[in-house]
Amino acid sequence: MTRYGLLLLALCSAVILHLHISSIEMSFAAKWQVISSFQAQTFADFQFLYAALPRLVLATLIGAALALAGSLFQQLSQNSLVSPLTLGASSGAWLGLICSAVWFPTLAASYSVWFALVGALLATGTAIYIAGRSGTKNLHLILAGMAIHILLGAVATVIVLLNEQPTQNLFIWGAGDLSQTDWQWVEWLWPKLVLCLVVFIFSQRPLLLLRLGHDNARARGLHLKSFISSIALIALWLVASSITAVGVIAFIGLIAPNIARLIGAKKPRDELASSLLLGVILLISSDCIALYMSQLSEGFVPTGTMTALLGAPLLIYFAKRQLTRHPVTQNQSHFAVTAPLLRYGILLSVLMVLLLALIFFHQPNSQQFWLFALPDSLTFSLRWPKVLAVISVGAGIAVAGVILQRLVRNPLASPDILGITGGAKLAVVFSTLLVTDTIINSTLVAALVGSLAVLLLLICLGRANQYAANVIILIGIALSALIEGVIHFALAKGTSDVYQTIHWLAGSSYYVNDKQAMLLFSIVATLLVITMFTTRWLTLIASSDEIAAGRGVNLAKVRLTLLLLVALLCASTTALMGPIAFVGLLAPHIASLIGAHKAIQQIHFAILIGMLLMLFSEWFANNALYPQQIPVGTLVSIIGGSYFILLLFKQSHKTR
């Protein structure tokens, strides 16, 4: 039997299974009668005709659209790890929808898809511009896309937390929900997918020419910029339309094209068609599992969460295949300049003192914002644990970033992508949902257990590759996408405990007490002292594997040791304050920028910069919207992500 015959057989089986699970009480003869007459007589008929059947049709349309978009992105970039998820398009579209619901509710009803398209377009364009033309075929583009993803997710979190009422209806939607009560969304969506026909008719020859390289394609008469821009815009339109209809569905656009190539799809149109069929099969099958799990638990299980659970392991598998064929280009460039370090050290120390004074002596009230006074004993007792905690977190994550960037030899590497903080997030969400405990009681234990579980996973999966950081980072990306689905699932529940969880996930110092702050400080200080004894390893391994091995370094053991240090630093800081993004990426980068090139110098300056960034974010988060508070981790993500993206823009402009 041909490949298409097998795909059609699998599709028919998935459709039959979906029809059975969605309406178990009805026989297939009764279902066929309702389909043929398109009329309902009983309540079961109505449920099948206006809930089960449109859900199946919508899953077919969404699966086809996302898979086709993913295949187009991968063929344009010649990178099998590119997708709406890893380009940041999904998070951009989702942020656009949130903004429209909060600030433009009258326009959102009719033009929400355009808000989603603008968000997806800006996110994808930024990621591609950061990576540059030479970076689209390797992990550089994926890292840039995930940085955009984290930044936009932080912005969306702030908007949700500050506008709980307008965004409540978006919670289930954001989890990727295919539930339907009529044919409204099917009728809305299918005309917007007509562009798929245009792609099939006109894209075969241009996509084939792209495989010869840009120069050869241009020499054969292909208007490269026009074609790539048009096809990318069509792919983003498919993504924006799908997310507007059902919310975020991860991994379909990444997995379907990879499976299509794995089963023998070689020509561009063949890959598009196979990917389309596989996308439909994957989404209908995931929805079958979501329906079955919902019936077993008598609760709501979003389809988007289920696709994330199924897709994360497949991402790891295809990522390892991609790295085997196309090794990641690693670059130790830190955008470095020569500068007198002593002057910068004094400046950073002075800023530290000023920030500490600002935090303790600034006493705003409802009548006067810029009011300074000596803190009373109560105010001091409330503030010093938070200050100690944010200082410890800033130092710990900054050093974790130094270790990871030298291990990967890439200034884009960050502990946020490693997956350790992702394991903590996942464990805390599950503990609050399943154990029904409050976030205050479950955070520390759950976060540590989750972090250690991810560490064991990294050790098992990384052993065959000598703990190569490229594989580890891609595992972290897979976990991040999986966690996003679980977080949206938590939002959909909408209880008070869940809102506490979301505040913790945003990175908050609100629940920190003196004992916890002292414990965190002790752990981080101990780990930092241990790190000082690894500076020789960090210096050698940052140069090259050959140089390190020639100097007697056992690469596998050193990588495992350094990975363990990063894991412990991330686990301890995340357990207390929640995930803090971009500090581990930004602090080492700025330290190198001011001239701290040696490992010991970079560690020292990264600690100062990490603490400064956390202290400023702590003060600004507590006072910017006084008396409302912004979670400090979210603010750090926005500040750090924005600044780092601006630096990358500047560097990209210089190198072109």
Side-chain angles (χ1 to χ4, degrees), residues 579-624:
I580 305 294
F582 282 115
V583 174
L585 185 147
L586 194 58
H589 173 85
I590 298 179
S592 182
L593 179 69
I594 63 177
H597 306 312
K598 295 181 180 179
I600 190 68
Q601 294 174 340
Q602 193 179 20
I603 289 174
H604 288 158
F605 277 88
I607 289 174
L608 282 173
I609 294 164
M611 291 192 296
L612 277 172
L613 183 57
M614 288 297 298
L615 282 172
F616 173 77
S617 299
E618 171 71 14
W619 173 80
F620 192 82
N622 290 330
N623 295 281

Side-chain angles (χ1 to χ4, degrees), residues 368-388:
Q368 186 176 356
F369 181 80
W370 293 108
L371 177 65
F372 294 90
L374 289 173
D376 55 33
S377 58
L378 177 60
T379 302
F380 184 79
S381 65
L382 291 175
R383 291 186 181 179
W384 78 258
K386 294 178 174 57
V387 169
L388 186 60

